[in-house]
């Protein structure tokens, strides 16, 4: 297998184990781990940390009942202690693990679509005294992806059933552009909130400022194989509508309302498949 093909295989395995609807080959179980080193922590368009972070993830997946059962744990680690009036931070000046997400999911092929259902648990350290442990919450989600359609379009609806309440919908598509040894992937993601926005001036628990479009993220990435590892650098350009909290890139007034923002990082990952005996 060429370096390019091996890189694409590693990239696809890592992506499938950490996003909508993971797929394993018949009779195989898979374990994968990856760490995203990013210039900031952006979740659903909201900049939660504007200092460099590490986002490690460990995933397992296995065939089950004609589909794929998978689980993963992910975290946000601030390895630099943030300071200054412009800082956005989950750690509030405390370096270390400030968020842990636990996900369980079942995926099954249904005609041309790959359907998924699952739940996500969000746990926060509460160090910054704003995103406290009272924001800990649980979502259930439903998703669909068309693997044999150009752009591999997908849509996922996430319903918060505990603290935030309401639904957040995310649609995505990506296409690989072969260029010699590399095959850069151009992707687009659009988010829409239908309930996870603030419901009045006294609402303390919400994810977005207002109902409607939250953001549009346009990205470009590639994958490079190094021995058994995959390195995937990526750059993101995000566009946000007026009045939405996804426009903030810092705490200062001049950085609280930016229609466009740029962030970047690289993913370092490894995956291994086990034949079922």
């Amino acid at each position: 297998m060429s370096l390019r093909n091996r890189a694409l295989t590693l990239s696809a395995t890592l992506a499938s184990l950490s996003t909508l609807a993971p797929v394993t080959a018949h009779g195989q179980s898979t374990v994968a781990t990856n760490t995203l080193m990013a210039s900031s922590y952006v979740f659903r368009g909201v900049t939660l940390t504007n200092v460099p972070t590490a986002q490690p993830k460990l995933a397992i997946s296995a065939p089950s009942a004609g589909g794929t059962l998978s689980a993963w744990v992910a975290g946000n680690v601030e390895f630099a202690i943030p300071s200054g009036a412009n800082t956005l931070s989950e750690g509030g000046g405390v370096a270390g693990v400030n968020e842990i997400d636990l996900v369980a999911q079942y995926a099954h092929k249904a005609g041309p679509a790959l359907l998924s259902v699952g739940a996500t648990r969000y746990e926060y350290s509460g160090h910054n005294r704003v995103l406290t442990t009272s924001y800990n919450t649980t979502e259930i989600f439903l998703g669909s992806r068309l693997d044999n359609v150009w752009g591999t379009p997908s849509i996922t609806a996430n319903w918060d059933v505990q603290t935030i309440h309401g639904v957040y919908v995310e649609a995505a598509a990506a296409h690989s552009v072969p260029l010699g040894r590399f095959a850069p992937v151009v992707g687009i993601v659009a988010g829409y909130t239908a309930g996870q926005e603030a419901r009045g001036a006294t609402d303390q628990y919400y994810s977005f400022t207002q109902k409607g479009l939250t953001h549009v993220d346009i990205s470009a990435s590639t994958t490079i194989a190094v021995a058994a590892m995959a390195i995937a650098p990526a750059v993101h350009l995000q566009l946000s509508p007026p009045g939405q909290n996804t426009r903030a890139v810092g705490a200062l007034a001049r950085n609280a309302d930016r229609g466009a923002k740029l962030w970047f990082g690289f993913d370092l990952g490894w995956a291994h498949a086990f034949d079922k005996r």
Side-chain angles (χ1 to χ4, degrees), residues 188-213:
I188 184 168
V189 175
Y192 186 93
T193 174
Q196 292 197 8
E197 67 280 353
R199 299 177 298 277
T202 60
D203 187 6
Q204 300 181 57
Y205 302 105
Y206 58 89
S207 297
F208 305 97
T209 306
Q210 60 188 20
K211 184 176 181 178
L213 180 70

Side-chain angles (χ1 to χ4, degrees), residues 122-231:
Y122 301 94
E123 297 274 350
Y124 303 100
S125 68
H127 290 149
N128 70 354
R129 296 179 223 164
V130 175
L131 196 61
T132 64
T133 55
S134 63
Y135 281 85
N136 293 351
T137 194
T138 302
E139 286 182 337
I140 59 175
F141 61 84
L142 296 171
S144 177
R145 189 177 72 200
L146 300 174
D147 287 332
N148 296 322
V149 175
W150 189 92
T152 318
S154 66
I155 187 167
T156 308
N158 305 270
W159 179 25
D160 193 300
V161 295
Q162 184 181 359
T163 303
I164 306 296
H165 299 290
V167 174
Y168 168 79
V169 180
E170 197 165 78
H175 184 66
S176 177
V177 182
L179 292 175
R181 290 181 56 196
F182 303 104
V185 175
V186 177
I188 184 168
V189 175
Y192 186 93
T193 174
Q196 292 197 8
E197 67 280 353
R199 299 177 298 277
T202 60
D203 187 6
Q204 300 181 57
Y205 302 105
Y206 58 89
S207 297
F208 305 97
T209 306
Q210 60 188 20
K211 184 176 181 178
L213 180 70
T214 61
H215 70 293
V216 174
D217 183 289
I218 302 168
S219 64
S221 63
T222 190
T223 305
I224 304 167
V226 179
M229 307 296 291
I231 301 175

